[in-house]
Amino acid sequence: MATVEDTAGARPAAEVLARARDIVGPAVRGAVETLPPAPRAIAEYHFGWRDEAGNPAGGAGGKLFRPALVLLAADAFGGAPETAVPAAVAVELVHNFSLLHDDVMDGDTTRRHRPTAWSVFGVGGAILAGDSLLALAFDVLAAGGHPAAADTVHGLSATVQRLIDGQSRDMAFERRSDVTPAECRAMAEAKTGALLGSACELGAVYGGAGARQCADLRRFGELLGLAFQIADDLLGIWGDPAVTGKPVHSDLRNRKKSLPVVAALGSGTPHAGELAALLAGKHPLEGADLVRAAELVELAGGRDWSERETAALLEAALAHLRAAAPPGRAAAELALLARLATRRDH
């Protein structure tokens, strides 16, 4: 019997993402072009389409991973992927709203191998550009003409509230020394999993899926988002800047209580105690302290735990995909994208 992971006829993940860029990329760009001049200029820089002086820069605007999920989810239930473009655009705009704000809150100065928008245009400008993208996302979704437009707008609004709640908890954890793995997991599922879940659910709605199938697709995306966040947390500690576009050890420098760090702190080992003392210090973490902190996370088991948890979450996500989606090329490609997203070498 065929399953959603039978890859016969499935396109490689790179081709799936390229197709999503071809379909959704121009629509995202067209939507951004409707913004007022000031936030539009910052948004176009953020997407990589223009440099800080407004000259064309030729950037691709990101991987468009979330829009690819939307299109594939629609396709999996018999809908034409092109009909789900408004949902795909809305999800991508929400994602980039969150990136613009996250960079401000985290003080990150590099994204996608270039200076972040706030570091070029100022904090206020970057925040307002993010606000413009968020408002635009709801305009695009509402104007898409789908019979369930009102419900999808309400659902995306709830997703944004979860995302903001997750980001709020993430920031609060930086000031705490007693964060539990359960708290950290709930934070990550809200901060990252909610939007991936919404992307999959929106695609299923546009594809004509039933309520139970939409719920399973949403859960597939939520668990995938949590697995993705843990994989991304590993990159935030040990990732190659040439791959991540951010400085090495960037999350540790910000004293983020990511899941690898929380797992290490809760290990009860001497290494956990040394790591806690480092993170509790008042001086900025730089140089040798950063290197040592990364070593301690690994010695205390945080890296091994994260790799095991990522694999388990991926399998749980795929179980929901199997429960929801009929076997076929689109379902197989959703599984391929899920596996790509949880690798640590991309």
Side-chain angles (χ1 to χ4, degrees):
M1 177 181 290
T3 71
V4 296
E5 294 181 78
D6 288 340
T7 57
R11 298 165 295 179
E15 185 178 333
V16 172
L17 293 171
R19 179 61 175 156
R21 286 193 295 272
D22 289 343
I23 295 175
V24 181
V28 172
R29 196 158 188 162
V32 171
E33 287 174 354
T34 68
L35 294 176
R40 171 183 169 181
I42 297 173
E44 289 180 333
Y45 171 85
H46 166 76
F47 278 104
W49 304 330
R50 296 188 182 275
D51 64 19
E52 59 190 87
N55 301 310
K63 294 184 180 72
L64 271 68
F65 176 77
R66 290 157 187 81
L69 293 178
V70 176
L71 301 187
L72 287 176
D75 192 8
F77 295 100
E82 290 78 7
T83 65
V85 166
V89 171
V91 166
E92 185 65 9
L93 292 172
V94 169
H95 174 53
N96 281 277
F97 138 76
S98 73
L99 296 182
L100 279 161
H101 284 202
D102 283 358
D103 286 341
V104 170
M105 289 181 280
D106 294 342
D108 286 340
T109 57
T110 306
R111 179 174 290 281
R112 297 170 181 159
H113 310 286
R114 66 205 302 246
T116 48
W118 76 264
S119 69
V120 174
F121 297 96
V123 168
I127 291 173
L128 291 172
D131 293 343
S132 288
L133 292 182
L134 181 59
L136 182 60
F138 291 107
D139 284 345
V140 169
L141 194 57
H146 192 274
D151 290 338
T152 58
V153 168
H154 176 73
L156 187 60
S157 176
T159 292
V160 172
Q161 296 295 350
R162 284 189 67 196
L163 188 158
I164 291 171
D165 177 54
Q167 178 66 13
S168 298
R169 282 186 273 174
D170 190 24
M171 294 173 61
F173 289 172
E174 294 175 22
R175 302 187 298 272
R176 287 178 48 191
S177 59
D178 59 345
V179 179
T180 67
E183 287 180 298
C184 196
R185 177 177 169 136
M187 174 274 293
E189 189 169 328
K191 178 182 173 182
T192 304
L195 188 56
L196 267 70
S198 185
C200 295
E201 182 179 27
L202 281 169
V205 169
Y206 273 72
R212 178 63 182 270
Q213 292 168 312
C214 288
D216 270 317
L217 254 290
R218 182 180 67 248
R219 193 58 184 153
F220 160 72
E222 288 172 345
L223 291 170
L224 172 58
L226 182 52
F228 170 81
Q229 184 60 61
I230 299 174
D232 195 59
D233 289 343
L234 291 169
L235 286 174
I237 299 174
W238 293 285
D240 180 355
V243 174
T244 66
K246 294 184 177 183
V248 69
H249 302 145
S250 58
D251 283 357
L252 284 174
R253 183 178 284 106
N254 293 330
R255 290 182 163 86
K256 278 192 170 294
K257 297 300 190 304
S258 62
L259 273 161
V261 171
V262 170
L265 289 171
S267 67
T269 65
H271 298 115
E274 185 181 345
L275 176 63
L278 260 181
L279 294 177
K282 301 301 182 184
H283 63 285
L285 284 178
E286 301 288 351
D289 283 343
L290 274 177
V291 173
R292 182 57 178 165
E295 290 175 348
L296 290 168
V297 173
E298 183 160 13
L299 290 169
R303 188 170 190 165
D304 286 344
W305 179 90
S306 298
E307 290 173 349
R308 291 193 306 271
E309 189 70 6
T310 299
L313 286 165
L314 174 61
E315 292 309 310
L318 291 173
H320 282 278
L321 177 61
R322 295 184 199 106
R329 189 186 75 175
E333 289 171 356
L334 280 168
L336 285 174
L337 285 189
R339 295 194 181 282
L340 173 69
T342 53
R343 282 168 38 194
R344 293 188 298 108
D345 57 349
H346 68 283

